[in-house]
């Protein structure tokens, strides 16, 4: 939240003594109370953002207005609106989608014209100063997420009305992704990778806004041809602020489809809440139910639903840190969760006492493409079984890192002779050394989790925590559990080898 508005402090200053000038400014007590009550009321209704005009401005009748708008605009563009579905509120989940007729698995739910979808092509074709600006060749390096976040805000800020106004009213004005956590709330996650990532993301949002505003203002001064009736680029840049930009960015992160690195925000499917799919989730399986074809974004039902049921969409088979960072919630039962680690090759090399060993480690890290920090998210079963996809890549990364980290002087000589390849299992002694280093590292990470508390699970079971505090503690409990499980396994493997 922003700092309190300055007028909160007026009653304090108004009643003070100005001793140097020997002047007293006292108001009658009853009037002072009345003024304080008025100013307090003004503070309560003071908006969290100085600029937002449409996003989150929900009112009675907005859902009905949105559904009329959606049917009208989709049909006008020869698409197919979602006739078997409607928006509804669900306890504990907020706004979602309900089936008003039976829905079959694989049934087409909506065929949305791309001209109604927030995506690169639509944004660059917008007949506004912003559309002309973002379509410039020197903006090709701007990510789709940034373009879409800025486009959302341009449509929100503009004074002359937006095509998407009924949709924008229904978007949330507050999210629980960790980038929105206060410092006190982030303290609950201290020692875990997600806390550092979230603090870095806050700074990155500030830097992006500063950079984008500077570029837009420079361009506006050079080119006045697009000063149409709509909001100019300079006006947009002057209204843009970090709070709104971060919200818009995370609306894209949490709601847009990602297909072959392109993003698509559909003003309907993004209202579907998450539920785990009943099939193995891969990029290929996603394309069975989501596609972009002939100028339309098409979505099909991932499951069958009876009339009256809430209709869901799977957000993917993701670990907890992805759900909390980008979506602002934690699934009740997530069998894809894992312990998140960030490994530092530079720190590993500093621990090596001999220069020859450090030089060999440096070369090996470079060959393994681990010159900088290495992120991995693993769980015990990734090493016990033969995992595939992401799990296989991450477990191999971890083992390669700790095989290099555990190199002795004799091991470094063996590497020079071509007898050791850290990307492949070594002798029993070498593997034991790698597992031992991994155990040391995990134990150090666990000791750094400052808020770790044996009573956390009891607090959660009793329902004594709410909001972001509950999310933070729930995440910490699950993460620590995975780390402790990995620690026990690493110690066990070190002994066996």
């Amino acid at each position: 939240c922003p700092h309190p508005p300055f007028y909160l402090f007026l009653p304090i200053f108004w009643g003070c003594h100005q001793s140097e000038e020997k002047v007293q400014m006292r108001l009658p007590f009853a009037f002072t109370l009345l003024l304080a009550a008025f100013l307090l009321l003004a503070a309560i209704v003071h908006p969290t953002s100085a600029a937002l005009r449409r996003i989150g401005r929900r009112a009675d009748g907005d859902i009905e207005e949105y559904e009329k708008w959606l049917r009208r605009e989709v049909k006008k563009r020869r698409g197919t609106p979602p006739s078997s579905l409607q928006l509804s509120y669900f306890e504990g989940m907020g706004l979602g989608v309900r089936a008003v007729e039976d829905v079959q698995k694989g049934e087409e739910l909506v065929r949305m014209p791309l001209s109604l979808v927030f995506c690169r092509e639509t944004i660059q074709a917008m007949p506004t100063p912003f559309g002309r600006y973002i379509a410039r060749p020197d903006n090709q390096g701007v990510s789709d997420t940034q373009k879409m976040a800025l486009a959302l805000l341009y449509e929100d800020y503009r004074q002359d009305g937006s095509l998407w106004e009924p949709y924008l009213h229904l978007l949330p004005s507050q999210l629980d992704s960790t980038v929105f956590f206060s410092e006190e709330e982030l303290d609950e996650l201290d020692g875990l990778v997600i806390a550092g990532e979230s603090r870095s993301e806050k700074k990155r949002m500030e830097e992006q806004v500063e950079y984008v505003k500077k570029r837009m203002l420079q361009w506006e001064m050079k080119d006045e041809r697009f000063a149409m009736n709509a909001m100019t680029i300079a006006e947009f840049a002057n209204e843009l602020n970090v709070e709104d930009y971060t919200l818009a960015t995370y609306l894209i992160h949490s709601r847009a489809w990602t297909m072959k690195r392109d993003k698509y925000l559909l003003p309907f499917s993004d209202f579907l809440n998450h539920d785990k799919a009943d099939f193995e989730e891969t990029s290929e399986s996603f394309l069975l139910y989501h596609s972009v074809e002939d100028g339309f974004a098409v979505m099909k039902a991932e499951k069958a639903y009876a009339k009256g049921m809430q209709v869901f969409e799977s957000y993917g088979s993701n670990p907890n840190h992805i759900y909390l960072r980008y979506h602002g919630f934690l699934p009740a039962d997530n069998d894809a969760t894992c312990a998140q680690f960030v490994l530092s090759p530079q720190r590993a090399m500093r621990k090596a006492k001999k220069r020859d060993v450090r030089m060999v480690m440096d070369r090996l890290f470079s060959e393994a493409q681990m010159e900088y920090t290495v992120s991995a998210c693993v769980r015990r079963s990734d090493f016990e079984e033969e995992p595939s996809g992401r799990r296989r890549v991450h477990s191999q990364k971890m083992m390669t890192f700790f095989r290099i980290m555990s190199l002795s002087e004799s091991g470094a000589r063996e590497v020079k002779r071509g007898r050791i390849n850290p990307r492949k299992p070594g002798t029993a002694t070498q593997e034991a050394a790698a597992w031992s280093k991994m155990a040391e590292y995990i134990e150090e990470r666990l000791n750094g989790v400052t808020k770790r508390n044996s009573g956390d699970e009891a607090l959660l079971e009793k329902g004594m925590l709410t909001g972001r505090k509950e999310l933070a503690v729930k995440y910490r409990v699950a993460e620590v559990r995975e780390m402790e499980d990995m620690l026990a396994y690493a110690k066990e493997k070190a002994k066996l080898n």
Side-chain angles (χ1 to χ4, degrees):
C1 292
H3 295 295
F6 76 94
Y7 44 72
L8 271 182
F9 302 102
L10 281 176
I12 299 170
F13 296 129
W14 207 322
C16 72
H17 294 275
Q18 298 183 10
S19 55
E20 290 184 7
E21 298 178 6
K22 307 295 183 184
V23 176
Q24 285 190 331
M25 295 179 64
R26 291 187 179 276
L27 295 175
F29 182 72
F31 182 77
T32 303
L33 281 179
L34 184 62
L35 177 64
F38 170 79
L39 294 172
L40 181 60
L41 178 62
I44 291 170
V45 300
H46 185 75
T48 56
S49 161
L52 283 181
R53 293 194 177 94
R54 297 179 175 89
I55 292 176
R57 301 297 192 237
R58 295 182 187 175
D60 292 342
D62 273 356
I63 288 180
E64 186 180 350
E65 186 64 30
Y66 159 80
E67 290 180 334
K68 286 178 184 176
W69 168 83
L70 186 67
R71 286 192 297 271
R72 181 180 68 247
E73 296 299 331
V74 171
K75 285 180 178 179
K76 187 191 297 183
R77 293 162 174 79
R78 300 187 178 182
T80 308
S83 59
S84 59
L85 308 173
Q86 68 176 24
L87 295 189
S88 297
Y89 282 98
F90 295 89
E91 187 176 352
M93 302 189 83
L95 198 58
V97 176
R98 187 187 304 277
V100 293
E101 300 173 8
D102 290 348
V103 173
Q104 303 303 313
K105 182 174 181 177
E107 177 182 328
E108 185 173 296
L109 299 177
V110 63
R111 181 172 288 265
M112 183 79 68
L114 287 183
S115 56
L116 283 179
V117 174
F118 281 89
C119 60
R120 187 195 309 122
E121 294 85 351
T122 304
I123 292 166
Q124 293 179 175
M126 286 177 174
T128 61
F130 177 77
R132 304 284 180 84
Y133 166 73
I134 211 69
R136 287 172 59 86
D138 56 355
N139 276 322
Q140 295 310 304
V142 179
S143 73
D144 278 7
T145 299
Q146 288 174 306
K147 288 178 181 178
M148 291 164 68
L150 291 169
L152 267 182
L153 291 179
Y154 185 86
E155 292 300 316
D156 181 281
Y157 290 176
R158 57 189 297 185
Q159 298 275 17
D160 57 331
S162 168
L163 167 64
W164 288 275
E165 185 146 349
Y167 166 64
L168 297 175
H169 284 178
L170 294 178
L171 288 175
S173 58
Q174 181 176 323
L175 299 173
D176 287 326
S177 304
T178 50
V179 72
F180 301 104
F181 278 29
S182 66
E183 272 304 307
E184 184 182 351
E185 289 160 345
L186 281 177
D187 284 346
E188 294 292 336
L189 299 168
D190 267 350
L192 300 174
V193 173
I194 196 171
E197 288 178 335
S198 303
R199 290 187 173 105
S200 297
E201 182 71 353
K202 285 174 182 278
K203 292 178 183 175
R204 190 156 48 245
M205 291 290 104
E206 292 172 3
E207 291 165 359
Q208 284 183 14
V209 168
E210 187 178 344
Y211 173 74
V212 165
K213 290 180 73 158
K214 184 178 178 181
R215 281 196 57 159
M216 287 195 291
L217 289 169
Q218 286 173 342
W219 179 72
E220 179 81 11
M221 286 187 287
K222 291 178 185 175
D223 197 334
E224 298 293 337
R225 289 176 301 150
F226 303 125
M228 298 181 270
N229 291 331
M231 172 181 270
T232 67
I233 294 301
E235 290 168 339
F236 177 50
N238 286 326
E239 290 220 30
L240 187 63
N241 61 73
V242 175
E243 291 82 5
D244 292 351
Y245 178 76
T246 306
L247 174 66
T249 298
Y250 275 78
L251 285 172
I252 304 302
H253 280 324
S254 62
R255 290 168 171 260
W257 296 355
T258 303
M259 300 174 64
K260 299 177 181 177
R261 297 187 180 179
D262 291 330
K263 287 189 177 288
Y264 301 88
L265 181 67
L266 279 67
F268 174 76
S269 66
D270 62 317
F271 291 121
L272 274 77
N273 290 314
H274 166 76
D275 190 27
K276 186 167 60 175
D278 56 6
F279 50 84
E280 185 179 357
E281 295 183 80
T282 63
S283 55
E284 291 76 20
S285 65
F286 179 83
L287 295 176
L288 293 175
Y289 302 96
H290 308 78
S291 61
V292 174
E293 52 192 53
D294 302 323
F296 294 91
V298 181
M299 181 181 183
K300 298 177 181 178
E302 294 178 343
K303 298 178 182 178
Y305 296 94
K307 180 179 178 180
M309 290 178 66
Q310 182 175 183
V311 177
F312 294 97
E313 178 185 28
S314 172
Y315 295 177
S317 179
N318 299 308
N320 278 349
H321 70 270
I322 296 294
Y323 281 117
L324 188 54
R325 265 194 76 186
Y326 295 104
H327 298 280
F329 74 92
L330 292 170
D333 178 26
N334 187 8
D335 54 13
T337 197
C338 48
Q340 193 183 13
F341 299 106
V342 173
L343 313 171
S344 171
Q346 298 301 319
R347 188 178 177 200
M349 287 189 286
R350 284 197 297 271
K351 289 189 174 184
K353 295 178 181 177
K354 298 290 183 179
R355 182 172 179 273
D356 284 352
V357 176
R358 288 197 298 272
M359 290 178 65
V360 171
M361 289 172 72
D362 189 28
R363 176 168 69 83
L364 291 174
F365 281 130
S366 180
E367 289 173 357
Q369 298 182 331
M370 295 181 177
E371 298 97 323
Y372 308 107
T373 55
V374 180
S375 296
C377 197
V378 293
R379 59 190 307 178
R380 180 180 186 134
S381 59
D382 294 346
F383 299 92
E384 292 177 324
E385 303 165 1
E386 279 293 328
S388 59
R390 178 197 62 79
R391 292 174 58 193
R392 181 180 179 84
V393 170
H394 284 232
S395 58
Q396 287 180 340
K397 257 199 258 185
M398 285 278 284
M399 285 309 302
T400 299
F401 179 89
F402 287 108
R403 285 180 188 130
I404 297 172
M405 189 176 176
S406 63
L407 275 178
S408 61
E409 286 184 68
S410 60
R413 288 193 294 270
E414 292 294 289
V415 169
K416 290 178 180 178
R417 293 170 186 155
R419 294 175 182 172
I420 291 179
N421 180 354
R423 281 176 277 189
K424 295 181 179 178
T427 64
T429 303
Q430 290 163 354
E431 291 298 280
W435 283 109
S436 180
K437 285 291 182 186
M438 188 189 293
E440 285 177 24
Y441 169 81
I442 296 172
E443 196 153 28
E444 186 180 329
R445 296 278 71 77
L446 275 168
N447 291 335
V449 182
T450 55
K451 294 281 186 174
R452 190 173 163 201
N453 190 325
S454 58
D456 282 345
E457 293 195 48
L459 290 174
L460 290 171
E461 286 174 9
K462 293 175 182 176
M464 298 177 70
L465 302 174
T466 58
R468 291 175 181 169
K469 177 79 177 281
E470 181 185 17
L471 278 174
V473 173
K474 194 178 289 186
Y475 178 85
R476 187 175 71 226
V477 166
E479 189 79 353
V480 165
R481 188 185 299 128
E482 292 293 339
M483 290 169 74
E484 288 174 339
D485 200 28
M486 272 299 305
L487 175 62
Y489 185 68
K491 287 181 175 180
E492 181 186 316
K493 293 290 285 184
K495 288 178 183 177
L496 285 175
N497 281 290

